[in-house]
Amino acid sequence: MAAARRPARDRTGMTRLLLVEDDPDLGLALRVLFTRAGYDVVTADDGQAALKLLFAQRPALMVLDLVLPGLDGWEVLDRTRDLTDLPVLILSGRTSPAERVRGLRSGADDYLCKPFDHVELLARVEALLRRSNPEQWRGDYVEAGLRLVPERRSAVWQGHETRLSAIEYRLLEVLVRNRGRVVTIEQLLDLVWDDPGGGGRERVKFAVLRLRRKLAVGEGGDPLESVRGLGYRYRGEA
């Protein structure tokens, strides 16, 4: 079960990012970009090194390439998701919709294709970090059959507690606080991902899928409802 994490900072108070990229020129350019933006950056150029740094440095976010020597990016993502809810942004030259879907389905929080705009990359990193910060969450929220516990980043549904990622927690919180009302895809992108332009709508679909799988315990099933062509609704207990 993944534990809630606070964004890691170095001794100067800078938020630490783990950059996993095997292209030395691009890796250097990204390190300069993130450093100038005020981040402490640790880098790895292969999958094994990335996993070692993940535990040694405890970064706040991982920027992950998929094509890596030895252990590839998919394996790094799988092993990361087995152990932690660390925000992961895939940065890849694989641009097909199938690859994006696979990345989001496998647990990545965002997927940005190369070549990319530097301003957009920084904005996506900032949004993921903002959503992963437990200090910004509100207190316990109690609804029929459900309790949201921000300090543990968890949901207690029909007596069963499950830990959630930052995105999953925020997603459930938004839906619960709009109980009985349909929240559209566009609204969720705005409220959960800070992406009101609607780019990457598949992020919502697969985040909801992961959330429903976690909540579907016990006899009552999950409390979420898909509204075809519109969005999602929290229906609570039947």
Side-chain angles (χ1 to χ4, degrees):
M1 181 180 294
R5 302 166 54 105
R6 291 180 180 271
R9 298 178 183 273
D10 66 7
R11 293 180 181 178
T12 67
M14 297 169 66
T15 299
R16 181 173 299 126
L17 306 183
L18 171 55
L19 171 62
V20 188
E21 172 61 60
D22 70 325
D23 182 322
D25 293 332
L26 180 57
L28 176 60
L30 287 170
R31 181 164 191 162
V32 170
L33 175 69
F34 289 133
T35 300
R36 287 179 177 175
Y39 297 107
D40 173 42
V41 185
V42 292
T43 62
D45 58 8
D46 65 71
Q48 291 288 0
L51 292 175
K52 290 179 181 179
L53 287 172
L54 176 65
F55 294 102
Q57 298 293 330
R58 298 182 63 82
L61 179 143
M62 179 191 296
V63 178
L64 176 65
D65 187 19
L66 293 176
V67 181
L68 300 169
L71 203 66
D72 69 13
W74 297 118
E75 294 175 285
V76 173
L77 178 60
D78 286 344
R79 297 191 188 187
T80 299
R81 277 293 165 263
D82 284 342
L83 299 169
T84 177
D85 56 18
L86 173 80
V88 177
L89 187 155
I90 291 177
L91 190 62
S92 175
R94 296 180 172 178
T95 61
S96 74
E99 293 290 338
R100 292 173 57 87
V101 166
R102 180 183 176 188
L104 296 168
R105 181 175 286 165
S106 298
D109 297 283
D110 203 351
Y111 192 116
L112 185 60
C113 297
K114 302 174 184 177
F116 53 88
D117 180 81
H118 288 183
V119 175
E120 181 181 5
L121 173 59
L122 290 175
R124 289 176 182 257
V125 167
E126 290 166 7
L128 288 177
L129 289 171
R130 185 161 53 248
R131 292 308 184 199
S132 69
N133 185 357
E135 295 176 356
Q136 297 183 8
W137 298 340
R138 289 162 283 188
D140 285 21
Y141 186 91
V142 179
E143 179 60 71
L146 176 78
R147 180 162 62 97
L148 299 179
V149 188
E151 66 270 19
R152 293 201 300 272
R153 192 188 291 168
S154 68
V156 182
W157 169 240
Q158 296 183 333
H160 299 272
E161 182 171 11
T162 182
R163 295 286 180 88
L164 305 175
S165 72
I167 290 293
E168 291 162 353
Y169 186 96
R170 179 63 178 167
L171 175 60
L172 181 58
E173 183 186 50
V174 168
L175 291 171
V176 168
R177 291 179 184 275
N178 288 277
R179 177 182 177 140
R181 296 192 293 270
V182 176
V183 186
T184 68
I185 300 292
E186 291 73 17
Q187 289 171 329
L188 290 172
L189 283 166
D190 185 13
L191 295 170
V192 180
W193 283 269
D194 285 342
D195 187 9
R201 292 165 59 92
E202 64 270 18
R203 283 181 291 177
V204 178
K205 175 182 177 181
F206 291 113
V208 170
L209 179 62
R210 293 194 300 269
L211 179 58
R212 297 181 83 164
R213 286 174 176 170
K214 288 187 176 182
L215 294 178
V217 294
E219 299 179 357
D222 76 78
L224 307 182
E225 178 183 3
S226 300
V227 181
R228 187 177 179 84
L230 292 176
Y232 299 91
R233 174 167 50 209
Y234 176 81
R235 63 171 180 263
E237 290 186 316

Coordinates of all heavy atoms in Angstrom, one line a residue, residues 5-9 15-16 58-60 129 132-134:
R5 N 3.1 11.0 1.1 CA 4.4 11.6 1.1 C 4.3 13.1 1.1 O 3.4 13.7 0.5 CB 5.2 11.2 -0.1 CG 5.4 9.8 -0.3 CD 6.0 9.5 -1.7 NE 7.2 10.3 -1.9 CZ 8.4 9.8 -1.9 NH1 8.6 8.5 -1.7 NH2 9.5 10.6 -2.2
R6 N 5.2 13.8 1.8 CA 5.3 15.2 1.6 C 6.4 15.5 0.6 O 7.4 14.8 0.5 CB 5.7 15.9 3.0 CG 4.6 15.9 4.0 CD 5.1 16.5 5.3 NE 4.0 16.5 6.3 CZ 3.1 17.4 6.4 NH1 3.1 18.4 5.6 NH2 2.1 17.3 7.3
P7 N 6.2 16.6 -0.2 CA 7.3 16.8 -1.2 C 8.6 17.0 -0.6 O 8.8 17.7 0.4 CB 6.8 18.2 -1.8 CG 5.3 18.1 -1.6 CD 5.1 17.4 -0.3
A8 N 9.6 16.3 -1.1 CA 11.0 16.3 -0.5 C 11.7 17.7 -0.9 O 11.5 18.2 -2.0 CB 11.8 15.2 -1.1
R9 N 12.4 18.2 0.1 CA 13.1 19.4 -0.1 C 14.5 19.2 0.4 O 14.8 18.4 1.3 CB 12.5 20.6 0.7 CG 11.0 20.9 0.2 CD 10.4 22.0 1.0 NE 9.1 22.3 0.6 CZ 8.7 23.1 -0.4 NH1 9.7 23.8 -1.0 NH2 7.5 23.3 -0.7
T15 N 12.4 22.2 -3.7 CA 11.8 21.0 -4.0 C 12.6 20.1 -4.9 O 13.1 20.6 -5.9 CB 10.4 21.3 -4.6 OG1 9.6 22.0 -3.7 CG2 9.7 20.0 -5.0
R16 N 12.7 18.8 -4.5 CA 13.6 17.9 -5.3 C 12.9 17.2 -6.4 O 11.8 16.6 -6.1 CB 14.3 17.0 -4.3 CG 15.3 16.0 -5.0 CD 16.0 15.2 -4.0 NE 16.8 16.0 -3.1 CZ 16.7 16.0 -1.8 NH1 15.9 15.2 -1.2 NH2 17.5 16.8 -1.0
R58 N 14.5 10.5 -2.1 CA 13.0 10.8 -1.8 C 12.6 12.1 -2.5 O 12.2 13.0 -1.9 CB 12.8 10.9 -0.3 CG 13.2 9.6 0.4 CD 12.9 9.7 1.9 NE 11.5 9.9 2.2 CZ 10.5 9.0 2.2 NH1 10.9 7.7 2.0 NH2 9.3 9.3 2.5
P59 N 12.5 12.1 -3.8 CA 12.1 13.3 -4.6 C 10.6 13.5 -4.4 O 9.9 12.7 -4.0 CB 12.5 12.9 -6.0 CG 12.3 11.4 -6.1 CD 12.9 10.9 -4.7
A60 N 10.2 14.7 -4.8 CA 8.8 15.1 -4.7 C 8.1 14.7 -6.0 O 6.9 14.6 -6.0 CB 8.7 16.6 -4.5
L129 N 2.8 19.1 -8.4 CA 3.3 19.3 -7.1 C 2.3 20.0 -6.2 O 2.2 19.6 -5.0 CB 4.6 20.2 -7.1 CG 5.8 19.5 -7.7 CD1 7.0 20.5 -7.9 CD2 6.3 18.3 -6.8
S132 N -0.1 17.4 -5.0 CA 0.4 16.4 -4.1 C 0.7 16.9 -2.7 O 1.2 16.1 -1.9 CB 1.7 15.8 -4.7 OG 2.7 16.7 -4.7
N133 N 0.5 18.2 -2.5 CA 0.9 18.8 -1.2 C -0.2 18.6 -0.2 O -1.2 19.3 -0.3 CB 1.2 20.3 -1.4 CG 1.7 20.9 -0.1 OD1 1.8 20.3 0.9 ND2 2.1 22.2 -0.2
P134 N 0.0 17.8 0.8 CA -1.1 17.5 1.8 C -1.4 18.7 2.7 O -2.5 18.8 3.2 CB -0.6 16.4 2.6 CG 0.9 16.5 2.5 CD 1.2 17.0 1.1

